[in-house]
Each structure stands twice: as C-alpha cells, then as structure tokens.
Amino acid sequence: MDVLDLPGVDLVSDAQTFLQSLPDGSVDSIYSEHFLEHVPNAYALVAESSRVLKAGGQFRAVIPHFSNPWFYSDPTHSTHFGLYTFAYWVESHPFSRGVPHYSTPLPFHVESANHIFKSNRPFLLRHALKKTLGSWVNTSRWTQEFYEEHLTWIMPCYEIDYRLTRL
C-alpha cells in the first residue's frame, strides 16, 4: 500500500483512510518500516491500528531513531522517535521511568524497543563497531536508558524497532 501508484504497490491509499475502512478487531498484525515518522499525526494512526487489531495482535514499527544523522535531512519526517515515545501513548510499557499520558492511553503493551545501529557497507570497521555497540545497548532496559540519556549524540543510532501487543 502506498499513496503513489508505483511498481509493486497493490493498493493506492493513505494508511489512515485504509485502516478506517476495516472493521474492529479484524487484523492479526501490522508492520511498518520507515513510515510512521512521515505521518502528520502518528498517535492517531496508532490509535486506529489499535482499533482494527485483534486482542493479542502485534504492531511492529521500524522507525529512524531521533539521533540518526539523516533523520533531520528529510523534510517529510514529522515525528521524532526514541525509546520512550510509545510509552507516552500506550497503557503499559517495561521502562523504569514513568511518563505522562497527554491523551487516552492506547490498549497496547510495549514488548520491546531495540536500538538498531548500522553503517553503509564501504565502512566495514564502523559497521562492526556499531553492531557491537548495539549488542551492548540492547542487553537491558538500563543500558538502553543509559544510551539514550548519555550517548546518543556520541554514537547515533540508525533506527529503533518497536514491538507492541494489543491488550
């Protein structure tokens, strides 16, 4: 699905309109990659996703991390994402820091949010260093939180992989 009729696109539509056409609890899983950061109201799209997902359904989103140096280069990016972003939107999460809800919490539990570190292929040493850092960062919630608070601008993260379960 895409808003543009490009090769490989089966359905031309915007995601919000498409989700609104589906009945409640009719979807097993939703997956998006490098998409949610482009949505003007990401909370509304995630809310609509919670409506159409079955109880126990999976919502997965791979999104550029706010420290990604290329994130700010793309003028179509409208929402920044970090470790705690979904914690502001959902009913439950595994993180230690409490955050406020500025709207009705969505019926999701954040199962995981993993930092993904990458580098372009010509930079194999840098790629290996980033993979090693990623292995350490994702060993625990503490290391993830330490990374976000103290190290993001020293060694930026490429993306974050969120996995949520519909309550």
Side-chain angles (χ1 to χ4, degrees):
M1 178 176 62
D2 202 319
V3 293
L4 301 174
D5 191 10
L6 300 170
V9 173
D10 297 321
L11 175 67
V12 177
S13 177
D14 71 89
Q16 188 79 24
T17 302
F18 177 72
L19 288 172
Q20 289 169 344
S21 73
L22 299 174
D24 295 358
S26 61
V27 176
D28 292 318
S29 65
I30 295 174
Y31 174 79
S32 74
E33 187 169 343
H34 290 254
F35 164 73
L36 207 52
E37 71 277 9
H38 297 277
V39 177
N41 186 347
Y43 172 84
L45 186 80
V46 176
E48 195 60 27
S49 297
S50 74
R51 183 190 66 78
V52 302
L53 277 170
K54 297 176 181 176
Q58 302 296 303
F59 179 90
R60 182 175 175 202
V62 178
I63 307 165
H65 188 265
F66 70 82
S67 68
N68 181 327
W70 296 282
F71 179 85
Y72 295 98
S73 299
D74 188 338
T76 66
H77 288 176
S78 55
T79 304
H80 306 88
F81 288 86
L83 183 64
Y84 275 85
T85 303
F86 278 94
Y88 287 88
W89 296 346
V90 303
E91 284 186 28
S92 77
H93 61 82
F95 309 119
S96 61
R97 183 169 60 97
V99 297
H101 291 109
Y102 298 111
S103 52
T104 303
L106 301 174
F108 279 114
H109 172 70
V110 176
E111 299 293 337
S112 65
N114 287 310
H115 295 83
I116 310 298
F117 295 83
K118 295 181 181 180
S119 193
N120 294 333
R121 283 285 170 204
F123 305 107
L124 294 177
L125 182 59
R126 188 177 351 169
H127 182 74
L129 176 64
K130 288 182 176 185
K131 285 295 200 185
T132 302
L133 176 63
S135 295
W136 175 77
V137 167
N138 292 310
T139 57
S140 71
R141 296 285 172 240
W142 185 89
T143 53
Q144 288 182 313
E145 292 174 8
F146 181 85
Y147 167 77
E148 288 241 335
E149 186 174 352
H150 301 287
L151 304 174
T152 52
W153 301 117
I154 296 169
M155 184 68 82
C157 178
Y158 186 77
E159 60 197 5
I160 191 158
D161 184 349
Y162 297 99
R163 295 171 193 245
L164 287 67
T165 300
R166 171 69 164 81
L167 301 175

